[in-house]
Amino acid sequence: MALPERPLGEAITLARCSVSVNADHEYRIAGIYSFGKGLIKRPTITGNETAYKALSRLTTGQLVMSKLNAWEGALAVVPEEFSGAHVSPEYPVFDIIEAEADVRYISHLVSWPPLWDRLTPRGSMVRRKRTTPATLMSTPVPLPDLDEQRRIAARLDAATAKLGELAKLRSRAEALRVAIRDSVFHEEQGNAPTRLGNVLSLERIPVTPQPDAQYSQIGIRSFGKGIFHRPPVLGSELSKLKYFEIHPDRLIVSNIMAWEGAIAISGTNESGFIGSHRFLTYRPSDAVDIRYLNYFFQTRAGRDLIRSTSTGTVLRNQTLSMKDFESLSVALPSKRRQEEIAQMLDRLGDTQNRSNQQADLGVTLTNSLLNAAFSGRL
C-alpha cells in the first residue's frame, strides 16, 4: 500500500545553530558528498581563514544539505562523529521534529534518489540551480506515522548493515592485495638493477591527421586503473599536439602523471587508437615481462622512483622525460620469475575486479530496497 505523502517541512524545521566566527578560534569543518554518501571531513581552519562571519555548528541527528548539490543527493543526517563540526551558510541545517519523524527514517529517505529528483526541475541549466530550504521543506515525501517509520527504518537498517559488512570485507581484501603486491616486489629488490632503456625501446609511429577522418585517442587513469578511450573526433578537431599510433602489448607511460601510477599496458582493444606525445610508448625486449614492470610502478617504491625524476611547477603535472625514464634502474629477476609474479598478481586483480562488480550490485540492491520501502512494499 502506498505511503501517505506530506511536505518534508512537517518533519523538519530550520535549526538555530549559527555561531559567530572569531578570528582566533579553530573550527572543525565538514562538507557533504553527493549521491547520498554522507558527510566528509575537511581540514580544521581558524576564523581568519574564512570570509564567513558565521558558521553553523552541527549536532548529532540534524539534517544538513548543500544548496548547490542537493539535487544530486548532497543531503545527510549528522552522525555522532560529526557532532561539533561546522558548515558554511551554503549548507542549511535542520532539526528533525521527533514528534513527527524518526531520525533513522529521515536518514534513509534523504539517500533515496527519487527524492533528489523532486528537489530540482530538470533542464539544460540544472547544474546552476540551487535548492533553497523552502524548496526542501515544501517537497512532498512519503511520511507515514511514527510507528510505520520506525518499522521501515529498522528493516532498512538491518539490510544496509549487512551490505556495509560486505563493503568492509571488500576494502580489507583490496588492502591485502596491495600489501601482497608491495611485499612481493620488496623481496625482489636484491636482484641486479637493470636500466630500463636496455629492456624497453621507445616506439614512435607518427600520425598525420586528416581533417575529415575520425581518430580515437587513449587516456590513462592514475593509480594503475588502466587505459580509457576518449570519444572519436575528426582530425580537424585534434589539438596541435603530435600524435602517434598505439599498438597492443606496449608499456605506455603518461609523462605528466606517471608519478601517481598513470602507466598501463595496451591490448587489442587499443588497436587503431592514437596517443599524443604525452604518452611514451615502449616495446619490450625478450628479457622483460611488461606486466611485471607495470605492477612494480604501481607500488609505493615504484611511484617514488618515478617521482624522483619528475619535475614541474604544476602540482599534479610532474613531467617525466624520456631520457630520465629510460635511465631509471629497476631490480629485475629472471624472465620466468617475472612471469610467475605477474600471473599471481593478475589472478589477484581478477578476484578484486569481481569483488568490485559486487559493489556495483550492492548499490543497485540498496536502491531497490529504498524504492520498495518508500513505495510501501517493504
Side-chain angles (χ1 to χ4, degrees):
M1 186 172 67
L3 300 179
E5 295 208 349
R6 292 185 279 157
L8 186 55
E10 292 189 15
I12 62 174
T13 182
L14 267 173
R16 296 180 178 179
C17 53
S18 178
V19 295
S20 297
V21 172
N22 186 316
D24 298 328
H25 288 187
E26 288 190 339
Y27 298 90
R28 189 157 56 93
I29 300 298
I32 313 178
Y33 288 112
S34 293
F35 309 112
K37 294 183 178 178
L39 296 180
I40 179 175
K41 293 179 181 177
R42 297 197 184 284
T44 296
I45 63 170
T46 57
N48 60 15
E49 293 179 285
T50 177
Y52 291 111
K53 296 186 179 304
L55 298 172
S56 294
R57 187 176 188 277
L58 301 177
T59 299
T60 304
Q62 289 179 319
L63 173 65
V64 57
M65 79 166 190
S66 161
K67 290 180 183 176
L68 191 62
N69 295 318
W71 67 274
E72 59 177 18
L75 306 100
V77 169
V78 179
E80 188 172 349
E81 65 179 297
F82 281 89
S83 188
H86 298 78
V87 292
S88 79
E90 285 296 300
Y91 299 83
V93 182
F94 305 85
D95 290 324
I96 295 173
I97 304 170
E98 293 184 1
E100 296 291 338
D102 181 89
V103 171
R104 296 174 305 154
Y105 180 89
I106 297 298
S107 181
H108 289 297
L109 181 66
V110 297
S111 64
W112 183 43
L115 171 63
W116 315 337
D117 292 338
R118 298 181 184 190
L119 294 180
T120 306
R122 299 287 150 179
S124 59
M125 300 296 285
V126 66
R127 287 193 172 275
R128 296 185 182 180
K129 292 179 179 175
R130 295 157 65 85
T131 303
T132 65
T135 297
L136 180 68
M137 297 177 74
S138 64
T139 299
V141 298
L143 200 61
D145 61 50
L146 263 176
D147 286 343
E148 180 64 2
Q149 290 182 41
R150 289 168 181 151
R151 186 192 69 80
I152 292 171
R155 298 198 67 173
L156 289 174
D157 282 350
T160 54
K162 291 177 182 176
L163 291 171
E165 286 300 316
L166 290 175
K168 288 179 183 176
L169 289 174
R170 282 193 297 272
S171 179
R172 290 172 190 159
E174 171 60 10
L176 181 60
R177 185 189 70 83
V178 170
I180 291 173
R181 182 197 64 195
D182 287 12
S183 174
V184 165
F185 281 100
H186 180 74
E187 292 295 321
E188 299 299 329
Q189 292 311 297
N191 290 288
T194 300
R195 183 177 174 274
L196 288 179
N198 293 342
V199 292
L200 296 173
S201 300
L202 184 70
E203 183 175 81
R204 289 299 209 196
I205 304 174
V207 172
T208 303
Q210 301 302 308
D212 297 330
Q214 279 201 334
Y215 296 90
S216 298
Q217 298 181 64
I218 64 158
I220 303 180
R221 295 185 178 89
S222 295
F223 308 109
K225 294 185 177 177
I227 291 175
F228 65 93
H229 298 164
R230 301 184 189 281
V233 296
L234 293 173
S236 58
E237 297 173 308
L238 289 171
S239 71
K240 300 298 183 183
L241 298 176
K242 294 179 180 177
Y243 292 92
F244 301 91
E245 294 180 7
I246 299 294
H247 291 269
D249 302 320
R250 304 293 190 262
L251 185 71
I252 304 181
V253 180
S254 165
N255 79 334
I256 55 175
M257 302 303 294
W259 65 274
E260 65 173 23
I263 298 176
I265 296 174
S266 57
T268 54
N269 288 340
E270 281 70 52
S271 291
F273 277 67
I274 63 173
S276 78
H277 71 275
R278 292 293 189 189
F279 298 100
L280 312 179
T281 303
Y282 286 96
R283 187 173 59 246
S285 74
D286 291 338
V288 68
D289 185 323
I290 53 175
R291 295 175 302 165
Y292 180 89
L293 285 180
N294 187 36
Y295 281 124
F296 169 70
F297 286 122
Q298 307 310 326
T299 67
R300 177 175 294 181
R303 291 203 300 270
D304 286 347
L305 184 63
I306 293 282
R307 194 178 291 116
S308 68
T309 58
S310 300
T311 59
T313 55
V314 179
L315 182 60
R316 294 193 66 219
N317 290 353
Q318 302 289 312
T319 303
L320 172 70
S321 72
M322 285 184 282
K323 179 181 177 182
D324 287 341
F325 179 71
E326 292 167 13
S327 296
L328 293 176
S329 290
V330 174
L332 275 187
S334 67
K335 179 74 175 293
R336 182 175 180 180
R337 178 63 178 155
Q338 293 175 46
E339 291 169 345
E340 289 174 352
I341 291 172
Q343 288 167 5
M344 184 269 289
L345 293 174
D346 281 348
R347 288 194 294 272
L348 282 177
D350 289 343
T351 302
Q352 191 63 36
N353 288 338
R354 287 195 292 273
S355 177
N356 291 338
Q357 289 170 1
Q358 291 177 349
D360 295 337
L361 184 61
V363 172
T364 302
L365 181 57
T366 298
N367 288 337
S368 296
L369 281 167
L370 293 173
N371 285 334
F374 298 121
S375 61
R377 292 181 286 110
L378 189 66

